C-alpha cells in the first residue's frame, strides 16, 4: 500500500475534519524511545511529542498496561487497589495542600471538571484565559480557543495578554499581571464575576514564555481577590517538562487551587486527573455529583503509576534539567549565528525559537517559511513543530528521556536547515 | 490489607467525590468473561457491566492492545493504517449514508463533539433531551443531566417526557412524539431554535423503554422540521445490545444525522467515536476546526477493531438476540410470580424490572428496597444495577457474551431474592 493509497482511504473514511503534518504526510508505523519509524524504515528523532513522556513504547509502561488489561478493567464503583495507590503516589509529588485526586480520561475532561468545580464553589461563571491558550476540545474548552469557530460574544469569557518579555521588553511582572485586572474589569462590565483563571505556565501556545519573577503570584493574588480560583493546566508544563521541578507552578513558587493533568501522565494512554485540596473537593461534592465511567479504571491507573515509576527510577527530572541546559547552550549558539532567530525562549525540554523577518522590527517570520523549515527538518530525520499567535515559532518538545546526544543531533539538523535557507 | 483499610485509604486519597456500589463496597481484583472476582476469590456473575462488551479481559482484545502498545502509540497527524481500517470496518456496520468517522476518547467527548457539529451546522443552539437522560459529564453534557447541580435556567435546553408505555398506557407514538413539539415550543418561547434532539433509543436512564412503532420516525421528522439534527447516542443501545440489530436506531428503522459511540467500542479502553454523513462532516470542517490529541491513536484503534472482530467472529449479535429471548421468557415467568414486578421492559441483553409497591397504583417501590435487593443479589453472587426516575428499576445489562446458562443463574438468583422479600 503506497502512502497515496492510504491517504486516499483516510480521506474517504475520516472525511475532511482531520488535519495532518507536512504537505506529504508521513506514515508512521513504529515507535521506540525517542525514535519514530515510517513504513520504509526511515528513522525520525522525535523532538515534538510530549505525550509519550517516558518514550515511545516504554517497555515497563507497556508491561503494566498489558498485565493489568489481562487481569481486570472496570470502573471505580468497586474498590480497587490501583486507583488508591496511584492517587497516593501522585499526591506525594504535590505540595501537601493538594492532596485529593479525581481521575478522568483526557486533559479536556480534566479542565472541564476543574471549571465545573470552580463555578460550583465560587458561584460565579467568569473565566480568564490567556490569548491563544488551548485547554481542550469540549464545547466550553473549545469556546476558549481563539482558533476555533467564533460562537459570538461570550459573556463568561475574557482573554488576557500573556507575559511575552521578548515582544514586550518593557513589560514587568506588575504590568503583565495588570492584564488580569483588565480582564476582571471587562468581565465585570458584562455583569460577570470571576470563577477561575486558567493558567498554563509554559504558555505553550504562545511559544513557551518565561514570565518575570513575581508574575505568577500576582495572578494568583488578583484572581483570589476577585473571588476566583486558580486552575493550573499542567498538561504541558507538568511532569518535569520545564526541568528543576515536577510542575510548572513550582517553578514560580505558587500553589494553585486546582491542577489538571493530561495524557503525558499515561504516556499516550488516555488517563488524566484533577488534583486539588480536600476543601475544594469536599465543597464540590456537597454541591454537585460527578462520575466518570472509566476515569480511574485499574488499567489506566496501572499505566499512570508505571509512568511515575519510570520518571523516578530513571531520574528523568535530573535528565530534563541537564539535557535542557545542554540544549539551551546549543540554541544560544544558533542564536548568535542566524539573525532570523528573534528569541530563544523556554526551559527544560520545552523550547521555542521565535523566528522573525527582522530582528529590529521583530516582524514574525511568515508561516509558510516555518512550514518549509519543519519539512526540511523532517527530511533531515528530525521532527519539530510550530506554534504561536503568528505560527512563527519553532517548537522543540521531545520526550523526557531525550539525551545530550539526541540534543546534539537536533541542534545539528537545525543548523544545517537554517544555513541552507 | 482489609477492605476497610483500602476503603479508608481511598477516602483519604480520592476525597468524597467518589461514590460506590453497595453499603459495604466490594474489592474487585480480577475479571474474566462474564465473571468478576473479589480479593477472597468470590465469583460474581456480571449482569451489570455493558462497557466490557465482549467480556472481561477478552484475550483477543488484550492481545491487540498489548501488541499495538508495544509497537506504536501516537496521534493522527501522521498517517497510520489502524485508524483507516477501523473507520472502514466501523462504517460498514452503518447505513451507507453514515460513512464518515471521527474518533475521540470517551462517550462524553463524542456527544460534546456531536453537539458542536449540530450547533455549527444549524446555526441554532437549542437542545432537546429526554428527562433523566445521561449523555456525559462535560459542562454542557452535565448541564443536561437532571441529577446534577441545577445551574439555573438554561435558555438552550428543554427536556421531553420519554415514551413510557407502562406508566402512560394510553400513550401512542403520536402522543409521545407530541412531547417533542412541546419542547420545541418551549425553546421558541425562550427565543431559542433547535440545533439537536439527543436520543438514546434504549432510554437507559428511564429504565429501558420500548417506544411504540413509529415514534422514532416522528421524533426525526419533527426535529428536522424545526431545523435541528438528530443525534443518536448509541453508547447504551448500540453494539448489538438490543438484539436483532447492531444499532438502536435500526430497531426503529430510522437513520439519524449523527451517531455517537462510547466505551463499549473498546471494551473498557477509552475510545469513542462520532459517525455521521460526509455532508455534515464537510460542512463542520468548513465552519470550525476540531482536533483530539489522542482520539484515534493506533492503540485505541487496534482495540476497537479487535472488539468488532470479536463480535463478528463469535456471532455475538445472534447470541444477544437468542439469550435475550431466553431471558425475556424467564423474566415473564417471574412477572407472573411476584406482584411487586410492575413491568418487564427491554430488549436483547438490556432489561429493566419496574418494581412497584402496588400493581394498580403503580407506586414505585421505594429505593431503599431496591438497594436491599441489589445487595442480596450480590450476596447470591450476581451483580445487577438500579435505574429510573424513581430509582426503582432493577437493571440487567450483562456483557454481550452472556449465555443461556448465565441467564438461568441470574433468573434463579432473582427468584431466590424476590421469594425471600
Amino acid at each position: 500500500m503506497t502512502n497515496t493509497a492510504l491517504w486516499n482511504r483516510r480521506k474517504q473514511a475520516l472525511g475532511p475534519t482531520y488535519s495532518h503534518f507536512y504537505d506529504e504526510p508521513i506514515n508512521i508505523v513504529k515507535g521506540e524511545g525517542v525514535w519514530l519509524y515510517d513504513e520504509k524504515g526511515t528513522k525520525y528523532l522525535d523532538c515534538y511529542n510530549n505525550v509519550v513522556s517516558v518514550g515511545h513504547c516504554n517497555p515497563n509502561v507497556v508491561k503494566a498496561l498489558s498485565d493489568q488489561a489481562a487481569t481486570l478493567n472496570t470502573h471505580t464503583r468497586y474498590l480497587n487497589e490501583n486507583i488508591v495507590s496511584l492517587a497516593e503516589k501522585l499526591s506525594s509529588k504535590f505540595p501537601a495542600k493538594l492532596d485529593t485526586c479525581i481521575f478522568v480520561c483526557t486533559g479536556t475532561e480534566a479542565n472541564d471538571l476543574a471549571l465545573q468545580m470552580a463555578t460550583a464553589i465560587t458561584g460565579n461563571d467568569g473565566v480568564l484565559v490567556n490569548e491563544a491558550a488551548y485547554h481542550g476540545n469540549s464545547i466550553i474548552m473549545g469556546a476558549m480557543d481563539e482558533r476555533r469557530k467564533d460562537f459570538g460574544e461570550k459573556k463568561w469569557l475574557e482573554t488576557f495578554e500573556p507575559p511575552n518579555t521578548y515582544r514586550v521588553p518593557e513589560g514587568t511582572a506588575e504590568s503583565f499581571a495588570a492584564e488580569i485586572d483588565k480582564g476582571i474589569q471587562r468581565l465585570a462590565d458584562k455583569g460577570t464575576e470571576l470563577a477561575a483563571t486558567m493558567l498554563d505556565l509554559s504558555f505553550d501556545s504562545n511559544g513557551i514564555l518565561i514570565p518575570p519573577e513575581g508574575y505568577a503570584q500576582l495572578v494568583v493574588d488578583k484572581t483570589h481577590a476577585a473571588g476566583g480560583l486558580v486552575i493550573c493546566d499542567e498538561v504541558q508544563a507538568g511532569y518535569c517538562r520545564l526541568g528543576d521541578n515536577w510542575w510548572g507552578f513550582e517553578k514560580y513558587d505558587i500553589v494553585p487551587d486546582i491542577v489538571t493533568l493530561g495524557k503525558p501522565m499515561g504516556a499516550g494512554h488516555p488517563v488524566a486527573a484533577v488534583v486539588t485540596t480536600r476543601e475544594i473537593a469536599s465543597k464540590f461534592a456537597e454541591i454537585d455529583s460527578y462520575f466518570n465511567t472509566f476515569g480511574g479504571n485499574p488499567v489506566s491507573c496501572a499505566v499512570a503509576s508505571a509512568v511515575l515509576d519510570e520518571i523516578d527510577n530513571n531520574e528523568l527530572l535530573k535528565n530534563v534539567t541537564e539535557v535542557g541546559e545542554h540544549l539551551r547552550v546549543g540554541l544560544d549558539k544558533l542564536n548568535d549565528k542566524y539573525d532570523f532567530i528573534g528569541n530563544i525562549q523556554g526551559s527544560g525540554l520545552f523550547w521555542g525559537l521565535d523566528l522573525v523577518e527582522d530582528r529590529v522590527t521583530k516582524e514574525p517570520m511568515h508561516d509558510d517559511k516555518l512550514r518549509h523549515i519543519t519539512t526540511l527538518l523532517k527530511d533531515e530525520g528530525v521532527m519539530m513543530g510550530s506554534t504561536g499567535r503568528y505560527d512563527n515559532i519553532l517548537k522543540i518538545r521531545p520526550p523526557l528521556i531525550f539525551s545530550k546526544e539526541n540534543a546534539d543531533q537536533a541542534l545539528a539538523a537545525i543548523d544545517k536547515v537554517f544555513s541552507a535557507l
Side-chain angles (χ1 to χ4, degrees), chain A residues 157-180:
Chain A
L157 182 66
E158 283 294 329
T159 58
F160 61 92
E161 280 295 307
N164 192 325
T165 55
Y166 167 60
R167 293 195 168 274
V168 186
E170 68 279 16
T172 62
E174 288 71 21
S175 72
F176 287 125
E179 297 297 324
I180 300 293

Side-chain angles (χ1 to χ4, degrees), chain A residues 60-210:
Chain A
N60 293 326
V61 175
V62 172
K63 186 175 188 317
L65 171 76
S66 306
D67 288 354
Q68 184 60 48
T71 305
L72 177 73
N73 190 21
T74 192
H75 53 81
T76 54
R77 280 176 168 157
Y78 313 118
L79 293 183
N80 184 269
E81 168 67 29
N82 287 19
I83 190 172
V84 177
S85 54
L86 172 62
E88 290 169 345
K89 207 185 279 189
L90 189 60
S91 298
S92 77
K93 300 292 182 195
F94 282 89
K97 194 183 145 191
L98 297 168
D99 63 354
T100 304
C101 299
I102 305 172
F103 296 102
V104 294
C105 298
T106 66
T108 293
E109 288 188 349
N111 283 322
D112 210 293
L113 170 57
L115 192 53
Q116 290 177 50
M117 299 175 91
T119 52
I121 286 166
T122 63
N124 302 334
D125 65 356
V127 177
L128 282 180
V129 65
N130 71 281
E131 176 277 332
Y134 174 77
H135 295 292
N137 51 42
S138 64
I139 292 175
I140 296 297
M141 292 302 133
M144 295 180 191
D145 184 344
E146 296 185 344
R147 284 150 303 191
R148 297 285 306 270
K149 174 178 178 290
D150 180 7
F151 287 94
E153 207 230 347
K154 295 155 197 159
K155 196 165 175 261
W156 54 276
L157 182 66
E158 283 294 329
T159 58
F160 61 92
E161 280 295 307
N164 192 325
T165 55
Y166 167 60
R167 293 195 168 274
V168 186
E170 68 279 16
T172 62
E174 288 71 21
S175 72
F176 287 125
E179 297 297 324
I180 300 293
D181 296 321
K182 292 180 199 165
I184 292 167
Q185 186 56 52
R186 285 194 303 274
L187 285 171
D189 291 344
K190 296 190 283 188
T192 304
E193 288 193 273
L194 189 65
T197 301
M198 306 280 296
L199 211 47
D200 161 16
L201 282 166
S202 72
F203 296 92
D204 167 38
S205 311
N206 301 102
I208 311 102
L209 306 181
I210 305 293

Side-chain angles (χ1 to χ4, degrees), chain A residues 34 319 323 326 349 399-409:
Chain A
V34 294
N319 186 65
V323 179
H326 185 78
L349 286 176
L400 308 177
I401 57 168
F402 210 63
S403 69
K404 286 182 187 170
E405 197 190 346
N406 299 147
D408 288 338
Q409 183 182 339

Side-chain angles (χ1 to χ4, degrees), chain A residues 227-382:
Chain A
L229 300 183
V230 173
I231 299 171
C232 268
D233 177 341
E234 293 276 349
V235 174
Q236 296 290 340
Y239 268 85
C240 309
R241 173 59 52 192
L242 301 181
D244 293 318
N245 303 284
W246 259 80
W247 311 109
F249 66 81
E250 287 178 303
K251 187 176 174 71
Y252 300 107
D253 262 336
I254 62 163
V255 181
D257 302 298
I258 305 178
V259 174
T260 58
L261 308 176
K263 288 184 199 77
M265 83 179 266
H269 180 85
V271 55
V274 165
V275 184
T276 187
T277 67
R278 177 55 44 99
E279 190 190 351
I280 288 173
S282 300
K283 273 193 196 165
F284 180 62
E286 281 166 25
I287 298 169
D288 199 359
S289 61
Y290 178 90
F291 181 66
N292 189 304
T293 319
F294 261 52
N297 71 69
V299 173
S300 295
C301 291
V303 170
S305 194
V307 169
L308 289 173
D309 290 345
E310 278 299 282
I311 293 174
D312 282 343
N313 296 342
N314 297 296
E315 299 189 331
L316 292 184
L317 176 56
K318 190 160 159 266
N319 186 65
V320 172
T321 309
E322 289 175 2
V323 179
E325 177 59 17
H326 185 78
L327 201 51
R328 189 191 63 71
V329 171
L331 291 170
D332 279 346
K333 283 185 194 152
L334 294 175
N335 192 34
D336 294 340
K337 198 166 166 186
Y338 300 104
D339 61 6
F340 54 82
I341 300 179
N343 195 38
I344 306 263
Q345 50 206 32
S347 174
L349 286 176
F350 204 3
W351 292 91
L353 276 60
D354 193 327
L355 304 183
V356 292
E357 296 290 324
D358 182 306
R359 273 194 174 173
V360 177
T361 66
K362 298 181 182 176
E363 184 190 345
M365 185 180 266
H366 305 157
D367 62 5
D368 53 346
K369 281 191 210 161
L370 185 51
R371 189 168 177 98
H372 183 56
I373 288 170
T374 54
T375 301
L376 292 175
L377 282 166
K378 183 259 294 172
D379 294 341
E380 290 297 319
V382 171

Side-chain angles (χ1 to χ4, degrees), chain A residues 384-398:
Chain A
M384 293 184 188
S386 66
T387 190
R389 189 191 305 220
Y390 313 106
D391 206 21
N392 70 312
I393 296 171
L394 184 66
K395 181 155 85 171
I396 307 172
R397 190 189 51 181

